[in-house]
Amino acid sequence: MNICVIGSGYVGLTTAAVLAELGHEVNCIDKNKQKIDMLNNGKVPIYEPGLKELIDKNYNRLTFTDSLDDYIKRASVVFICVGTPSLQDGSTDLSYIEAVIDELANRIHSYKTIVTKSTVPPGTNEWIYNKLLEKGVSPELFNIVSNPEFLREGSAIHDMFHADKIVVGLRSGDHQSLTVLQKIYTGINAPYVITSLNGAEMIKYASNAFLATKISFINEISRICEAFQVDVNDVAKGIGLDPRIGPHFLQAGLGYGGSCFPKDVKSLERTALSKNIQPYLLQAVQTVNETQIDIYIEKLKTLFSDFTNLKIAVLGIAFKANTDDTRYSPAERFIRHLSQLDCEIHAYDPQAKLQNPPRNVMQKESITAAIRDADCVVIATDWNEFKQLDWLEVKQLMKGTIIFDARNCLERSKIEKHGLHYVGVGRG
Ligand code: NAD
Ligand code: UGA
């Protein structure tokens, strides 16, 4: 099939590469000319494991352009993958989606299936449909489908090929689009959940809100564990073995970040409030998350009486491992909070870059450079290379002895056997 993907970010580029691998002709469109130039020069603007290789492999079925004009005529399917960030009040900024509708409206002259992959609040796809009609597009020339995306950054390609479900939201009376979607995804072996447009939109928000709830739950439990000298990892393991609870998303730490959980939980809260529904749980989830970094800063303050002459190495800047994404990164927020204590901070991340760091924060090019002469090493992102550090070497490089595990990802015994002190929150 001939497919246009509008928006070539984490979701758009992954979708395009996977669809090309499935055998489709895919045209990637992005209004950011710099991104398109990079892609046309064989470079991938984001770090996502396996993405460059998949794009290179399917180069003959992929094109990259900054204008819809060239390809929209030929496409029978259009995927919308533009960003849907938060507005100041927490509701969703739909201006990028609106811009796409404007651009599409006067270019639809043959039948298109328009598939929304961007995460949008309930009611948005129905609104897109009506907008296109208002702009004069004939209802015979298009259908709109909600097909939310569930990939995780860092394992995006794997997640798309091994999806646990394909959610398809259809307008009532749309008897064509499901077959189109099934044809597009031939080769991906996942159960279909077929629902209304609003239903698909709600599944996406409920999914992210539930995962965020699990994280805030275990973070609150870790605070209670701290008071009773209990290791929260034991508790997570103990409760996670119950199949009704499950082992995933029970890793306590600095809280959830990234471009999705924070904005989506907030957006769902706003959606509920717009219908006079009090979202008690969603509000509590966010309160725990927003205060999680303070808990770690307070714990650090119990370890040193004066921060002014300290050198602290912070390992991790990205919002999670295996990505260069720093959008709403807890690690970056932690660094900024810590910098207010006037210590010297040496930060390191294998992929992510600090934007406009405070004057007392320096980003180092290697772990060794970051930890040399440090009084304390903080693990702020759970990259594998931090979990696998040679702790004897770390001990020899550091001035102090404290390893502060803000991601609960290290084994205390491996660290303490070299004379270092392991400190976590809720780790007994
Ligand atoms: P992103 O910011 O990485 O990419 C969005 C891209 O859209 C940008 O490159 C931007 O230049 C482009 N764009 C904006 N307006 C455009 C227009 N009018 N025409 C062409 N291009 C335009 O965003 P993302 O992380 O890929 O997220 C996209 C959507 O997918 C969001 O709604 C997000 O919530 C959702 N989502 C993201 C993830 C994820 O892991 N990042 C996972 C699932 C769903
Ligand atoms: C998340 C969801 O997992 C995807 O299913 C969804 O498609 C995506 O959001 C989205 O809608 O954009 P992502 O943000 O890439 O994916 O990353 P996650 O692995 O979910 O992690 C999110 C945050 O939670 C990270 O900061 C991570 O460190 C934190 N986290 C995760 C924890 O603190 N504890 C955990 O146990 C798991």
Side-chain angles (χ1 to χ4, degrees):
M1 295 175 94
N2 195 300
I3 299 174
C4 265
V5 173
I6 306 181
S8 305
Y10 288 87
V11 169
L13 273 184
T14 307
T15 303
V18 168
L19 294 181
E21 174 74 8
L22 292 175
H24 305 292
E25 296 288 323
V26 188
N27 313 302
C28 291
I29 294 147
D30 203 289
K31 65 172 188 184
N32 182 334
K33 194 168 176 334
Q34 217 182 335
K35 264 189 193 179
I36 294 300
D37 288 345
M38 276 181 89
L39 287 158
N40 279 323
N41 287 321
K43 296 199 182 94
V44 176
I46 52 170
Y47 173 75
E48 180 60 47
L51 183 57
K52 182 170 167 27
E53 292 78 357
L54 199 63
I55 288 178
D56 288 348
K57 184 177 169 213
N58 290 287
Y59 213 74
N60 57 342
R61 281 196 288 268
L62 282 165
T63 52
F64 304 101
T65 170
D66 63 349
S67 153
L68 270 177
D69 285 326
D70 308 337
Y71 296 102
I72 198 76
K73 264 192 224 135
R74 271 187 265 154
S76 58
V77 180
V78 178
F79 275 84
I80 303 178
C81 300
V82 296
T84 48
S86 292
L87 287 168
Q88 203 70 35
D89 68 356
S91 61
T92 299
D93 178 358
L94 292 173
S95 60
Y96 300 96
I97 299 273
E98 198 161 6
V100 172
I101 302 169
D102 286 343
E103 285 167 60
L104 275 177
N106 52 6
R107 292 179 173 90
I108 299 181
H109 305 299
S110 59
Y111 185 82
K112 317 274 173 223
T113 303
I114 301 171
V115 184
T116 309
K117 244 192 195 312
S118 298
T119 303
V120 292
T124 306
N125 276 288
E126 203 60 55
W127 170 79
I128 296 177
Y129 182 81
N130 289 322
K131 275 261 163 205
L132 285 167
L133 290 186
E134 264 171 43
K135 286 176 180 291
V137 184
S138 158
E140 276 85 57
L141 283 186
F142 77 102
N143 254 313
I144 184 107
V145 179
S146 172
N147 173 223
E149 180 49 56
F150 298 90
L151 65 78
R152 293 160 299 172
E153 287 178 27
S155 54
I157 303 277
H158 172 274
D159 291 350
M160 221 180 244
F161 278 123
H162 302 93
D164 48 33
K165 74 246 167 213
I166 295 173
V167 174
V168 178
L170 302 168
R171 291 193 73 243
S172 60
D174 177 358
H175 302 297
Q176 305 177 60
S177 302
L178 179 58
T179 317
V180 176
L181 271 278
Q182 283 168 332
K183 209 167 154 197
I184 294 171
Y185 289 125
T186 302
I188 293 182
N189 182 19
Y192 277 74
V193 178
I194 297 146
T195 177
S196 61
L197 292 176
N198 286 358
E201 292 160 340
M202 268 310 290
I203 289 171
K204 176 63 194 172
Y205 278 94
S207 172
N208 274 2
F210 186 74
L211 293 170
T213 302
K214 281 188 96 174
I215 299 168
S216 279
F217 172 81
I218 202 67
N219 282 334
E220 185 158 294
I221 293 293
S222 82
R223 298 177 188 192
I224 306 171
C225 285
E226 176 79 5
F228 287 90
Q229 291 87 47
V230 171
D231 189 337
V232 67
N233 280 8
D234 292 346
V235 177
K237 190 175 174 193
I239 63 174
L241 285 167
D242 182 332
R244 293 170 301 173
I245 297 173
H248 305 293
F249 278 69
L250 290 176
Q251 186 77 36
L254 287 176
Y256 61 78
S259 66
C260 292
F261 284 176
K263 84 166 166 67
D264 291 346
V265 179
K266 225 186 281 166
S267 172
L268 189 55
E269 178 198 358
R270 298 301 308 176
T271 299
L273 288 171
S274 74
K275 296 286 181 195
N276 296 320
I277 298 156
Q278 199 55 46
Y280 300 110
L281 185 59
L282 298 177
Q283 286 167 344
V285 165
Q286 293 173 87
T287 305
V288 172
N289 201 54
E290 278 151 22
T291 50
Q292 197 60 14
I293 284 173
D294 303 334
I295 300 274
Y296 278 84
I297 296 281
E298 287 310 311
K299 179 83 188 234
L300 206 49
K301 281 189 190 163
T302 64
L303 305 172
F304 301 100
S305 51
D306 180 15
F307 278 75
T308 45
N309 293 316
L310 290 185
K311 189 189 278 185
I312 300 187
V314 179
L315 302 185
I317 295 169
F319 83 96
K320 60 181 248 187
N322 300 321
T323 180
D324 59 355
D325 198 345
T326 58
R327 289 179 285 182
Y328 204 84
S329 167
E332 193 183 14
R333 284 173 58 225
F334 176 83
I335 290 170
R336 290 188 195 279
H337 275 57
L338 188 60
S339 75
Q340 285 162 14
L341 300 177
D342 281 337
C343 47
E344 190 179 317
I345 299 172
H346 290 186
Y348 169 78
D349 191 283
Q351 293 294 337
K353 295 270 170 293
L354 273 175
Q355 304 297 329
N356 307 315
R359 52 159 187 83
N360 50 336
V361 180
M362 269 158 286
Q363 177 156 3
K364 297 287 180 176
E365 290 307 311
S366 68
I367 300 185
T368 309
I371 65 180
R372 182 169 289 123
D373 297 330
D375 294 282
C376 171
V377 171
V378 179
I379 307 294
T381 308
D382 51 349
W383 283 93
N384 264 342
E385 61 185 280
F386 304 157
K387 294 187 213 167
Q388 290 157 6
L389 277 168
D390 177 337
W391 295 104
L392 177 60
E393 209 179 296
V394 173
K395 171 81 167 45
Q396 286 160 351
L397 280 165
M398 284 177 74
K399 188 163 87 198
T401 56
I402 292 177
I403 307 298
F404 191 67
D405 181 6
R407 285 291 188 163
N408 274 6
C409 61
L410 305 177
E411 273 179 62
R412 176 194 294 270
S413 58
K414 282 194 183 162
I415 288 161
E416 296 196 331
K417 80 172 180 212
H418 296 298
L420 291 164
H421 290 100
Y422 176 91
V423 182
V425 169
R427 292 305 302 273

